[in-house]
Each structure stands twice: as C-alpha cells, then as structure tokens.
C-alpha cells in the first residue's frame, strides 16, 4: 500500500473515505459501473468530458485508470455517494498530481444530473481540500488549483463557494480547449498567511505607479470542465 491508500495490483485502498454531512466519498468499484454509465449518459456531462464512457468496456477502462492513478500517486479519485439516498452515486471527485513539483495539485469533480443544484460539489470539494492539505502536507503541498472553461458557469460558482479564488484567465488551446479558461486557486492555511503578506509587500513596492503585477503560474492550461477525464 502506498502512503495515501493505494494497494499493489491496481486496486484502490479501501481505507480512504471522506465525509461531508450525508455525503460519503469512497474509492470506485466495479459495482459502480451502471451508475457511472447513467451519469455519462447526460447531454450536460457530454458537453464537458473529453473521453466518453458509453459502454461497459469504456466504463471498465475508466475504472482501471482510476485504480492506476491511486497506485501511481498521480490521481486520487473518489465516488461521491449520498447515504441519505441509500448510498446513491451523485458525483465524482479527484485530486490530480501528474506534473512536477509537490507544492501544487489540481482538483476536479462532476455531479450526476439527478443531484445537481443541491450543493453536492461544494460540500464534496471542501472535504477533498481538507484531506489533500492534510495528507500531502509532509510532501510540501500548499496550493490547489481548479480549472474550467469560461463558459462552464456552474464550475465557476462551485469554485467561489469552495473558497477557490479566481486567479487569472488562461488562453485557449484549440482544438482541445477552444475557449479561454479560468484558473482558481486555494492555498493551504499556513501558506495563505504567507501569500497575503507577500501580496501586501508587492502592493507596497508598486505603490509608486499604482500597479501590482500578477504572475501567471507556469505550465497551466485551461480544462474543458472541472474533471473531464
């Protein structure tokens, strides 16, 4: 088992569970395939995803990619269920750490059609955020990023409700990302104080011309949705 719950052989560790009220976030399993297919059989979902999940075979490959993410430590994906609705699948949640640099990671999510408009995504994202900053603190994680295409208004609202501050507009990368994107950022509690102090210092240094220059995070590209994989 790796330090964050993965087990050898591509099977996710069953001991990692997050809660937020009636929401229970657990690792995905084969029994979730019917609900996964139903979630992807939705026009709104298909608007944002890059990889289709339309058949049992595609669902099996999708699940395998989640297991591989846990094993490699690059993607920690959770099935979001609602215990108040008999354990019904209501969404997906992921922490992605595929790139270099342990200080930053990306969060992603989607909500099943039947559960939208009920605050599922903000509650689940808050639980993931707390877990990520705790579980990876020793590895230096201090910054979580949330990306979405500019026309994904729902994801923008989720980011704001979850304390992910808007940072900048990212250029489009057609054909995969035809429109510009938004980058939202949330920092670890200890890092937030340092960032505020640094921002104040920068503002003071720029007071002579009234400008504060924002620096773009390197290597960031706009996502088509909050979790398009």
């Amino acid at each position: 088992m790796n330090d964050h719950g993965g087990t050898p052989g591509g099977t996710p560790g069953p001991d990692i569970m997050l809660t937020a009220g009636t929401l229970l976030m657990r690792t995905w399993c084969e029994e979730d395939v019917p609900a996964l297919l139903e979630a992807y059989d939705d026009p709104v979902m298909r608007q944002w995803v890059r990889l289709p999940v339309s058949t049992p075979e595609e669902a099996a490959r999708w699940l395998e990619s989640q297991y591989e993410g846990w094993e490699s430590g690059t993607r920690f994906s959770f099935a979001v269920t609602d215990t108040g609705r008999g354990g019904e699948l209501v969404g997906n949640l992921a922490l992605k750490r595929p790139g270099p640099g342990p200080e930053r990671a990306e969060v992603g999510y989607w909500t099943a059609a039947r559960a939208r408009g009920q605050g599922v995504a903000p509650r689940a994202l808050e639980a993931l955020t707390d877990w990520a900053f705790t579980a990876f603190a020793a590895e230096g994680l201090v910054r979580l990023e949330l990306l979405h295409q500019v026309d994904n208004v729902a994801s923008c609202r989720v980011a704001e409700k979850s304390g992910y501050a808007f940072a900048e507009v990212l250029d489009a990368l057609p054909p995969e990302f035809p429109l510009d994107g938004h980058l939202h950022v949330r920092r670890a509690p200890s890092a937030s104080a340092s960032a505020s102090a640094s921002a104040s210092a920068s503002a003071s240094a720029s007071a002579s011309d009234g400008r504060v220059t924002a620096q773009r995070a390197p290597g960031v590209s706009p996502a088509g949705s909050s979790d398009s994989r």
Side-chain angles (χ1 to χ4, degrees), residues 62-122:
W62 188 90
L63 287 177
E64 185 61 29
S65 69
Q66 312 314 307
Y67 301 161
E68 291 171 353
W70 277 91
E71 178 63 18
S72 64
T74 59
R75 180 183 176 87
F76 302 89
S77 184
F78 295 86
V80 182
T81 65
D82 191 340
T83 59
R85 302 168 67 159
E88 182 179 59
L89 178 72
V90 293
N92 175 57
L93 198 62
L95 176 74
K96 295 171 274 188
R97 307 186 73 203
E103 74 282 354
R104 63 200 299 169
E106 183 184 344
V107 297
Y109 50 85
W110 50 253
T111 304
R114 69 172 68 90
R116 292 186 191 131
Q118 301 173 29
V120 169

Side-chain angles (χ1 to χ4, degrees), residues 126-172:
E126 185 65 33
L128 179 73
T129 299
D130 291 344
W131 172 74
F133 281 138
T134 300
F136 297 96
E139 298 179 21
L141 179 65
V142 295
R143 173 185 169 113
L144 291 176
E145 300 176 343
L146 188 158
L147 300 90
H148 66 82
Q149 200 163 271
V150 291
D151 56 342
N152 194 339
V153 178
S155 283
C156 203
R157 288 197 298 264
V158 170
E160 293 170 351
K161 290 179 181 178
S162 304
Y164 282 74
F166 172 75
E168 62 178 314
V169 174
L170 304 177
D171 294 336

